[in-house]
Amino acid sequence: MIIVVCRRLCILKGIYPHEPKHKKKVNKGSTAPRTFYLMKDIRFLLHEPIVGKFREYKIFVRKLRKAYAKSEWTGVARLKDNKPVYKLDHIIKERYPTFIDALRDIDDALSMGFMFSTFARTGKCHVQTIQLCRRLTVFLSIKGIYYQAEVLGQVITWLVPYQFAHDHPTDVDYRVMATFTEMYTTLMGFINFRLYHSLNLVYPPKLDTKAELTLKAEDDDDYALDSESYMEEDVEQMEAREKERMEQEAQKKLFEGLKFFLNREVPRESLAFILRCFGAQVSWDKSLCIGGAYDVTDESITHHVVDRPDMDKQYINRYYIQPQWVYDSINAKLCLPVEDYFIGVTLPPHLSPFVEEKDGDYALSVKVTPGKVKTEDRARLEQEQQAEEKRLAIMMMKKKDKYLYDKIMFGKKRKANKLTAKRKAHDDASKPDKKKKAKKQ
């Protein structure tokens, strides 16, 4: 078994490298960087059925290269038709025995899938992998957009990169990333299948607008009893869960009744995804992408999302807001005032919703109002300025001058300490005389 196949198997089976206690001794005196695995883990890989599939695929690639070199096109077509195929279903079932275990590990799967969906079609990544990630498939940051959802009591957070053109770095091993992506796409397929069937839906979904799919007519309590995350709870916990459920239901209808139109310069996929999740109707220019339900001239549009300093033509019956209003409203769980997000207005700080607020921290729902004029002490400011100038002057001294200055300051401090000690000794010696005089009086 070659090292590439062994590393790929270790990734798929969840076998991690081991750091020995005496690394130099294990490496036979060499200091070269190496990756070490336990012998029992490698022996465990030898019994994996997928190893035979990898060997068949290796033979297939060798035969295909020979056929291409000899220009045997009929042989190339025959080999492609009989290409060996393998599945990772048994590995996913082995690594994740329950559905909750799979949900807990889907964060990295979603982030990796969305990252591969943004890659360009180059030789570094397989086109089939990129297309698969795009099919399977809040907080704004420099890295991208963070999403967070709760599925069966499990909080899932994933990162979606921005739709920018980027070059592939040369120091990244894309084969390792492709192996992880291969496993993660299979995992997401299992999870989507389970979630769709829990709602009595067909997976993969059929793109048929005429088909009407019905949901299960079950209460939320029955669904909780059937799920694997159900636990016996007392009355107080049940009341807290019911209150939380009511808040979530109200949050799902945050943008219900609102009609949005997305301008061409805003992140369309992200805004359309989150706005529809919270009950809004969304559309965009039909020339930009298919799926636009109504045009910009529709008079029933309530909010027009724009990310430019000005608009030539504006309608008086709608709000022209910047995209941050949508994200901040979702994080605040209420529709914030639109005046702070108009076109050309300086936006308020966009804070992370994943950080718990403490007393004294800034909250999105709190507005900063102008305060009273505070009088300043001119004398104190001058003293602070002089002290700062002195500190900077000391920092800019040469090494020889700094050494001389430190000696001078040390002598002054020692002289001052001696005077202080003499004064204290004099006061201690004069205390008994003062007490005697006070008694005589």
Side-chain angles (χ1 to χ4, degrees):
M1 187 186 301
I2 60 176
I3 187 64
V4 177
V5 177
C6 181
R7 183 179 61 183
R8 189 177 181 186
L9 275 175
C10 290
I11 293 173
L12 295 176
K13 298 288 288 185
I15 296 175
Y16 299 97
H18 179 73
E19 187 70 19
K21 294 182 179 179
H22 305 284
K23 189 173 182 180
K24 192 173 181 180
K25 182 179 179 181
V26 175
N27 209 9
K28 298 180 180 180
S30 176
T31 57
R34 288 185 179 178
T35 305
F36 298 95
Y37 293 89
L38 294 176
M39 290 293 295
K40 61 178 183 179
D41 293 336
I42 302 302
R43 293 193 186 99
F44 174 71
L45 293 178
L46 297 177
H47 302 283
E48 175 59 38
I50 204 173
V51 175
K53 291 291 184 180
F54 285 166
R55 290 169 180 165
E56 293 178 6
Y57 190 81
K58 183 180 177 181
I59 296 171
F60 160 76
V61 172
R62 186 167 65 245
K63 290 181 178 180
L64 189 64
R65 286 177 179 174
K66 288 183 179 179
Y68 269 113
K70 295 179 180 180
S71 300
E72 296 177 355
W73 307 118
T74 55
V76 170
R78 178 178 53 81
L79 288 171
K80 287 185 177 181
D81 293 338
N82 298 322
K83 180 181 177 180
V85 180
Y86 61 90
K87 293 184 179 180
L88 304 178
D89 298 353
H90 66 286
I91 296 180
I92 298 298
K93 293 179 181 179
E94 178 184 336
R95 293 189 61 177
Y96 307 103
T98 63
F99 184 59
I100 298 301
D101 294 334
L103 286 176
R104 289 171 182 167
D105 202 25
I106 199 177
D107 300 12
D108 295 334
L110 288 170
S111 300
M112 184 72 76
F114 277 107
M115 183 182 67
F116 260 75
S117 66
T118 61
F119 282 174
R121 296 185 176 184
T122 60
K124 292 180 181 275
C125 303
H126 292 289
V127 178
Q128 294 83 358
T129 305
I130 296 173
Q131 292 176 347
L132 179 61
C133 292
R134 288 176 180 172
R135 188 182 67 185
L136 286 176
T137 316
V138 192
F139 169 64
L140 302 178
S141 69
I142 298 176
K143 298 179 180 179
I145 304 174
Y146 283 91
Y147 295 96
Q148 189 176 79
E150 185 175 345
V151 181
L152 298 181
Q154 303 297 323
V155 178
I156 302 171
T157 306
W158 69 96
L159 174 65
V160 179
Y162 295 114
Q163 296 289 335
F164 293 151
H166 53 82
D167 297 330
H168 293 284
T170 57
D171 56 345
V172 176
D173 192 351
Y174 287 94
R175 293 177 298 179
V176 176
M177 296 175 62
T179 304
F180 275 104
T181 307
E182 184 181 11
M183 184 190 68
Y184 286 153
T185 49
T186 308
L187 173 62
M188 286 191 288
F190 270 80
I191 293 176
N192 287 337
F193 180 84
R194 174 68 181 273
L195 292 177
Y196 269 71
H197 276 255
S198 65
L199 298 175
N200 199 18
L201 298 175
V202 178
Y203 184 81
K206 298 179 180 179
L207 300 178
D208 187 4
T209 56
K210 297 181 180 180
E212 296 182 359
L213 300 176
T214 58
L215 298 177
K216 281 186 177 180
E218 296 182 357
D219 296 333
D220 292 339
D221 296 337
D222 297 337
Y223 181 79
L225 286 170
D226 294 336
S227 65
E228 301 175 6
S229 60
Y230 175 75
M231 296 176 63
E232 294 184 359
E233 300 171 338
D234 53 9
V235 179
E236 294 181 357
Q237 291 179 347
M238 290 295 293
E239 291 178 355
R241 285 178 59 86
E242 182 66 20
K243 183 179 179 181
E244 184 179 358
R245 189 186 66 82
M246 295 296 292
E247 292 178 355
Q248 291 177 357
E249 290 294 331
Q251 189 179 3
K252 290 179 182 178
K253 302 177 181 179
L254 180 62
F255 298 136
E256 189 175 10
L258 301 181
K259 214 168 182 179
F260 289 80
F261 188 86
L262 307 180
N263 234 38
R264 62 176 58 247
E265 69 274 2
V266 300
R268 177 179 51 83
E269 294 182 359
S270 172
L271 288 171
F273 170 65
I274 60 177
L275 286 172
R276 286 170 176 168
C277 286
F278 290 91
Q281 299 182 35
V282 190
S283 183
W284 48 82
D285 192 355
K286 294 180 180 179
S287 62
L288 180 64
C289 183
I290 61 173
Y294 44 87
D295 295 329
V296 67
T297 57
D298 192 345
E299 296 182 356
S300 61
I301 296 175
T302 59
H303 295 74
H304 195 137
V305 185
V306 183
D307 195 9
R308 57 178 65 181
D310 195 8
M311 288 281 291
D312 296 335
K313 185 178 179 180
Q314 298 185 13
Y315 296 85
I316 197 172
N317 59 343
R318 68 182 67 168
Y319 294 114
Y320 288 85
I321 56 175
Q322 300 185 49
Q324 187 177 327
W325 179 84
V326 179
Y327 300 102
D328 287 352
S329 298
I330 292 173
N331 295 336
K333 299 181 181 180
L334 54 90
C335 291
L336 297 176
V338 295
E339 294 83 5
D340 298 335
Y341 300 87
F342 281 157
I343 300 176
V345 177
T346 303
L347 295 173
H350 181 64
L351 303 180
S352 172
F354 307 120
V355 179
E356 296 182 359
E357 297 178 358
K358 299 179 182 178
D359 295 337
D361 292 346
Y362 178 82
L364 289 174
S365 58
V366 179
K367 288 188 176 181
V368 180
T369 57
K372 297 180 180 179
V373 180
K374 184 179 179 181
T375 58
E376 297 179 349
D377 189 358
R378 295 296 183 87
R380 182 180 178 183
L381 288 177
E382 290 180 358
Q383 292 178 0
E384 291 179 354
Q385 186 175 0
Q386 291 176 1
E388 183 68 15
E389 291 177 355
K390 184 178 179 181
R391 186 182 68 84
L392 294 176
I394 294 172
M395 290 176 59
M396 297 298 294
M397 284 183 179
K398 296 181 181 180
K399 190 174 182 180
K400 185 177 180 181
D401 298 340
K402 182 71 166 51
Y403 177 76
L404 182 61
Y405 175 78
D406 291 340
K407 294 291 286 184
I408 293 173
M409 295 304 297
F410 178 75
K412 287 183 177 181
K413 287 182 181 180
R414 184 171 59 181
K415 187 176 180 181
N417 292 335
K418 286 183 179 180
L419 292 175
T420 304
K422 286 183 180 180
R423 183 65 183 175
K424 185 178 180 181
H426 179 269
D427 294 341
D428 294 341
S430 60
K431 280 182 181 180
D433 297 338
K434 290 180 180 180
K435 290 181 180 180
K436 289 180 182 179
K437 291 180 180 179
K439 288 181 180 180
K440 288 180 181 180
Q441 292 178 359

